[in-house]
Amino acid sequence: MLSPIIEEALNNQITVEAQSSQVYLSMASWAEVLGFEGVAQFMYAHSDEERMHMLKLVKFVNERGGHAKISQLEAPPVQFGSFKEMFQELFNHEVKVSECINDLIDICLQEKDHATHNFLQWYVSEQIEEEALARNILDKINLIGDDKGGFYLFDNDIKSLVAAPTTQL
């Protein structure tokens, strides 16, 4: 059974993950409109991945006797300035998500909810990967500078970072 404090914290994280999916989706649409197919594919795939993170939490809450609540989301930005600015925003967003997961872990430890703490370790590992990936992409963009040919190659190369979608919950 989930305590009311843990249930509320997990429901807040469900919203964070859903919002992440929307942010990635908005970035995908922006990149696609600008003709960057590789970046768009990458962002669409990550939008799906974030939705799967949300669904994993929903199922966990419901299976532990809680009630996963789906809340209203803020509309994400629709313009991102440049690809560097967009990927910087993505990195900052992932750092914020990591902070939310860490806060959730702290709540689990305070509540002595070891089952939820154990479940959330997957999210801790996932956020380490997400931040590293965003940092790596930013490093590549910084190397490219303002070279349009470099962005063309980057757009093709980023397709290789698109993982096969996961359907396991």
Side-chain angles (χ1 to χ4, degrees):
M1 231 22 221
L2 293 175
S3 74
I5 291 170
I6 296 289
E7 183 177 347
E8 180 181 354
L10 288 170
N11 273 311
N12 289 339
Q13 191 62 36
I14 287 169
T15 302
V16 168
E17 299 295 337
Q19 190 67 45
S20 292
S21 179
Q22 292 293 91
V23 167
Y24 275 108
L25 185 59
S26 184
M27 289 176 175
S29 179
W30 182 74
E32 189 170 54
V33 166
L34 292 176
F36 287 89
E37 178 185 329
V39 173
Q41 283 180 9
F42 174 83
M43 293 298 184
Y44 281 129
H46 277 273
S47 176
D48 289 345
E49 184 180 317
E50 296 299 329
R51 185 172 185 278
M52 294 307 291
H53 296 173
M54 177 199 68
L55 291 174
K56 189 173 182 167
L57 283 164
V58 167
K59 290 184 78 54
F60 180 81
V61 169
N62 290 340
E63 288 171 358
R64 294 284 318 278
H67 180 186
K69 297 181 179 98
I70 310 306
S71 62
Q72 184 173 349
L73 303 175
E74 294 178 25
V78 295
Q79 298 290 325
F80 298 95
S82 69
F83 281 105
K84 182 177 180 176
E85 291 170 323
M86 180 181 72
F87 279 103
Q88 182 64 55
E89 186 172 327
L90 182 142
F91 174 73
N92 295 343
H93 179 79
E94 290 298 346
V95 168
K96 180 181 160 210
V97 172
S98 294
E99 290 170 359
C100 292
I101 295 292
N102 289 336
D103 291 345
L104 189 50
I105 294 285
D106 287 343
I107 293 168
C108 288
L109 292 173
Q110 290 167 7
E111 291 289 306
K112 297 182 180 178
D113 184 337
H114 301 290
T116 302
H117 177 267
N118 185 55
F119 169 77
L120 291 173
Q121 294 310 301
W122 181 87
Y123 286 88
V124 171
S125 296
E126 182 67 16
Q127 282 310 121
I128 291 169
E129 291 174 18
E130 294 288 347
E131 284 186 37
L133 177 60
R135 189 178 299 109
N136 186 320
I137 290 170
L138 273 176
D139 289 345
K140 288 181 185 342
I141 289 173
N142 285 327
L143 286 172
I144 293 168
D146 293 327
D147 179 20
K148 290 184 185 201
F151 274 111
Y152 174 80
L153 294 173
F154 171 79
D155 187 57
N156 280 327
D157 288 348
I158 200 168
K159 291 177 189 177
S160 68
L161 297 176
V162 177
T166 307
T167 55
Q168 182 181 14
L169 293 178

